[in-house]
Amino acid sequence: MLAFIGGTGLTRMDNLRIVDKHAITTRFGEPSAPVVEGELDGQRVLFLARHGDPHVLLPHQVNYRANMVALKEAGATAIVAANAVGGITTLAPTGALVLPDQIIDYTWGRESTLFDDPADPLVHVDFSWPFDTALRDALKARLAASDLKWSDGGCYGATQGPRLETAAEIARMERDGCDIVGMTGMPEAVLARELGIPYAMLSLVVNPGAGKSTHEITMEEIEAVIHDGMANVCQLLAEFASDYRP
């Protein structure tokens, strides 16, 4: 079953007709919220609010392992994760959607693997290309058929948060090759790989990165972009669900 993870600004999908809620406790603890099962344009899908419902969890407080295991136990066979990001390069202007194809992980202290029990075999997963090609291609086709502003490819830099980055940090990330910056892409993406679930990310650029504009970043500006942009994301995901066939 196709699953969506909603980030900042997408705690609920208003166009989702809920048919069930799965309160799942995993061996890693409780997920951020119950896994919601519902219908989008007649297609059965799953939805999980990454930061809880209501939005209460900071990026470093999210139990990513419980979230991903709960989705798998609920029947997820593919995951599209939506998130709000800052733009670093010209690939990522404010208000645009980015379909990244790479990640650099700058987070620290997060539980980042399912294979840390000494009693279990040690497993190393290949993570050369962190996003599933077929799932990304399907998303690209849907984006190409829309009238939304979007970019194919780019590198997502995952930072610890919850503070925004300094201008020097954004300059460093740009030198490293990052096009966008967010706080939730890791370890979510690698946990999906460890579970064998195809995973792709759809990122809404809600502000320029630090030092990339002439004025201070304000939450009011970010929230205004989120309000309109996540409504577009919600509609796009509904259209994607209606024609996605794994």
Side-chain angles (χ1 to χ4, degrees):
M1 195 183 319
L2 179 63
F4 298 122
I5 297 176
T8 299
L10 194 61
T11 299
R12 301 176 184 176
M13 298 185 75
D14 293 335
N15 52 353
L16 179 68
R17 187 177 72 83
I18 298 173
V19 297
D20 201 359
K21 288 187 177 182
H22 303 277
I24 298 171
T25 299
T26 77
R27 66 187 179 97
F28 300 107
E30 302 289 332
S32 299
V35 178
V36 174
E37 185 173 344
E39 290 187 352
L40 281 176
D41 287 351
Q43 297 298 316
R44 190 65 62 95
V45 300
L46 300 172
F47 177 80
L48 176 63
R50 182 189 288 119
H51 297 279
D53 183 11
H55 186 298
V56 293
L57 298 171
L58 297 173
H60 67 288
Q61 295 174 327
V62 173
N63 189 338
Y64 294 95
R65 297 194 296 180
N67 282 356
M68 302 308 283
V69 170
L71 283 171
K72 185 176 180 67
E73 291 184 5
T77 55
I79 297 172
V80 176
N83 46 38
V85 299
I88 298 176
T89 68
T90 56
L91 189 73
T94 299
L97 292 168
V98 178
L99 196 59
D101 58 7
Q102 275 297 335
I103 287 180
I104 297 177
D105 187 5
Y106 300 94
T107 66
W108 49 269
R110 300 184 183 188
E111 300 290 352
S112 57
T113 182
L114 304 174
F115 303 121
D116 60 355
D117 188 334
D120 294 334
L122 178 63
V123 177
H124 298 283
V125 295
D126 179 76
F127 204 52
S128 302
W129 303 98
F131 303 110
D132 182 77
T133 300
L135 190 56
R136 282 191 77 256
D137 286 346
L139 281 166
K140 281 195 292 184
R142 171 45 54 190
L143 284 162
S146 76
D147 58 1
L148 301 175
K149 182 167 57 176
W150 67 286
S151 296
D152 177 22
C155 182
Y156 177 109
T159 58
Q160 182 71 1
R163 66 169 178 85
L164 299 180
E165 300 72 32
T166 68
E169 287 169 333
I170 291 296
R172 172 200 173 192
M173 294 176 73
E174 186 170 16
R175 290 192 299 271
D176 287 349
C178 295
D179 297 286
I180 54 178
V181 54
M183 303 174 188
T184 56
M186 289 293 287
E188 193 172 271
V190 74
L191 295 172
R193 180 63 52 86
E194 289 186 344
L195 288 166
I197 304 175
Y199 175 97
M201 186 184 292
L202 186 62
S203 301
L204 171 67
V205 183
V206 300
N207 62 276
K212 292 295 180 178
S213 64
T214 58
H215 60 281
E216 182 179 338
I217 300 168
T218 68
M219 289 308 300
E220 289 77 13
E221 289 177 309
I222 291 174
E223 288 167 1
V225 178
I226 287 175
H227 180 270
D228 295 333
M230 282 303 178
N232 290 333
V233 169
C234 202
Q235 180 58 40
L236 181 82
L237 294 180
E239 294 168 356
F240 178 73
S242 69
D243 59 18
Y244 174 69
R245 299 295 181 271

